[in-house]
Amino acid sequence: MTSLLDVRDLTFHYADRAGAVRAVDNVSFSLARGGSALGLVGESGSGKSSLALAIMRMLPTNVARYDGEIWLNGQELLGMTDDRFRQEIRWQKLSLVPQGAQNGLNPVLRVGEQIIEPLMVGGTVAKQEAIARALELLAYVGLPADVYDRYPHELSGGMKQRAMIAAALILEPPVVIMDEPTSALDASVQTQITNLLKRLKQDMNLAIIFITHDIALASDVCDDLAVVYAGEIVEIGSADQVLLHPTHPYTQRLLASIPRLHGDTLPQFIPGAPPDLREPPAGCRFHPRCPLVFEPCAQESPPAFEPAEGQIARCWLFEDGQG
């Protein structure tokens, strides 16, 4: 299947007094066309949210390095001017529901006015048409029509999250990035939001990048999974491959840390702590915590090996094709 979004060797470093923070380092992945979801999973601080900002070109002022390639439907995005990207791509073709979106609404503006704002900026859509579109989306995400005239403080956390999803969809972009869309929500509301995302894939033929630290949650939504560690993607494949046949030691330890409903196996913790991204370890960045570490691991960063068709792992265990 031809991919809709291709990210190639994307690098995004922050400038810091103690040195550059290598939040995203030579990351590559592809997102299939509509009706699919790719999960980016990993521990907090691994660079997942920074990757979302890098794709959206929503960059802070302290950028130390930002390069690579981002191709959307055959069009390269990093070579665009900021004005052209803002006018043609951001929100129109790529939209983002940011982390902590429940607090992302302007408290002094009515929810509906914030949802239709992207439609009104261009001046090509009449306000009544924009309102009608917003009411359709509110109904689709499970919110009553009167939410349009409410203020954010009148909504629960789950309602705010649904409103932010509606806002991200108002220009009908083919790709939406969801950054921790269920964080700070209780379990029942989490389930409602994940069911909504699955409907979006099917009904709107939407391609979703789903960012989360909860690999079990990602497995319920995503067709493919990319495991992120210390600014790098260490494993990527179909959800079945990554969940049932994990190849990278970090992925294996991450899955082993999940509590099981059945069986006597206790969750296992991952020893140590993620590295400081100002000074990541030489070689494989997971090697100080890896139970299978051997000589090459500390010497050189592993390239991408293919232990199974369509499954990529950055681990020296697969250098000889054995694993």
Side-chain angles (χ1 to χ4, degrees):
M1 182 185 297
T2 305
S3 58
L4 175 61
L5 180 72
D6 282 300
V7 175
R8 304 174 187 172
D9 299 321
L10 184 61
T11 297
F12 176 33
H13 297 174
Y14 299 97
D16 186 88
R17 291 181 180 180
V21 179
R22 301 169 66 171
V24 179
D25 238 2
N26 295 311
V27 165
S28 298
F29 67 87
S30 295
L31 177 66
R33 292 195 174 272
S36 65
L38 169 69
L40 297 177
V41 299
E43 295 169 279
S44 297
S46 61
K48 304 184 301 297
S49 294
S50 293
L51 178 55
L53 295 178
I55 294 171
M56 293 293 297
R57 286 179 55 167
M58 298 172 65
L59 307 178
T61 56
N62 62 330
V63 176
R65 180 181 172 188
Y66 178 56
D67 54 53
E69 298 178 16
I70 302 174
W71 293 84
L72 178 62
N73 205 21
Q75 185 177 27
E76 209 287 308
L77 305 184
L78 258 63
M80 287 185 174
T81 64
D82 289 341
D83 285 344
R84 186 182 174 197
F85 185 87
R86 183 176 62 253
Q87 293 169 6
E88 298 180 12
I89 303 299
R90 189 183 296 135
W91 309 122
Q92 288 92 334
K93 297 181 180 179
L94 276 175
S95 67
L96 170 69
V97 179
Q99 189 171 6
Q102 298 96 317
N103 301 315
L105 293 166
N106 189 321
V108 299
L109 294 178
R110 297 183 190 274
V111 171
E113 295 299 309
Q114 298 182 63
I115 291 175
I116 68 171
E117 183 179 5
L119 272 177
M120 304 305 299
V121 167
T124 58
V125 177
K127 187 165 185 179
Q128 287 305 313
E129 183 181 345
I131 292 173
R133 172 63 178 158
L135 292 174
E136 287 178 7
L137 283 172
L138 287 173
Y140 185 84
V141 300
L143 292 175
D146 65 356
V147 166
Y148 185 96
D149 291 315
R150 293 194 200 178
Y151 288 97
H153 73 270
E154 300 178 274
L155 307 184
S156 67
M159 294 173 76
K160 290 178 187 177
Q161 187 67 278
R162 291 171 186 268
M164 290 295 289
I165 292 173
L169 298 174
I170 193 69
L171 293 180
E172 301 181 7
V175 180
V176 177
I177 302 173
M178 305 276 184
D179 191 358
E180 299 278 6
T182 61
S183 62
L185 302 177
D186 62 44
S188 62
V189 179
Q190 278 190 1
T191 301
Q192 294 169 14
I193 296 297
T194 55
N195 287 338
L196 170 60
L197 298 185
K198 287 185 280 187
R199 284 176 52 214
L200 288 174
K201 286 197 305 176
Q202 180 176 351
D203 297 349
M204 295 189 176
N205 201 35
L206 197 66
I208 297 172
I209 297 177
F210 183 83
I211 297 173
T212 180
H213 63 276
D214 188 339
I215 195 168
L217 185 64
S219 69
D220 188 39
V221 176
C222 301
D223 307 279
D224 300 293
L225 294 175
V227 181
V228 184
Y229 182 78
E232 299 177 335
I233 289 180
V234 296
E235 182 166 0
I236 189 167
S238 69
D240 285 345
Q241 286 175 322
V242 174
L243 295 171
L244 301 178
H245 306 286
T247 56
H248 195 281
Y250 175 65
T251 310
Q252 294 169 357
R253 302 291 291 200
L254 198 63
L255 288 167
S257 69
I258 300 173
R260 300 293 192 268
L261 289 176
H262 306 286
D264 298 325
T265 304
L266 295 176
Q268 301 176 29
F269 70 95
I270 304 175
D276 184 348
L277 292 182
R278 296 176 184 85
E279 296 182 2
C284 172
R285 294 186 178 179
F286 185 59
H287 87 262
R289 308 171 71 188
C290 182
L292 303 176
V293 63
F294 66 117
E295 185 177 354
C297 303
Q299 298 175 355
E300 187 177 353
S301 180
F305 297 104
E306 190 172 12
E309 184 177 357
Q311 185 173 11
I312 303 298
R314 294 172 61 103
C315 180
W316 285 115
L317 290 171
F318 300 98
E319 183 180 19
D320 59 2
Q322 301 297 318

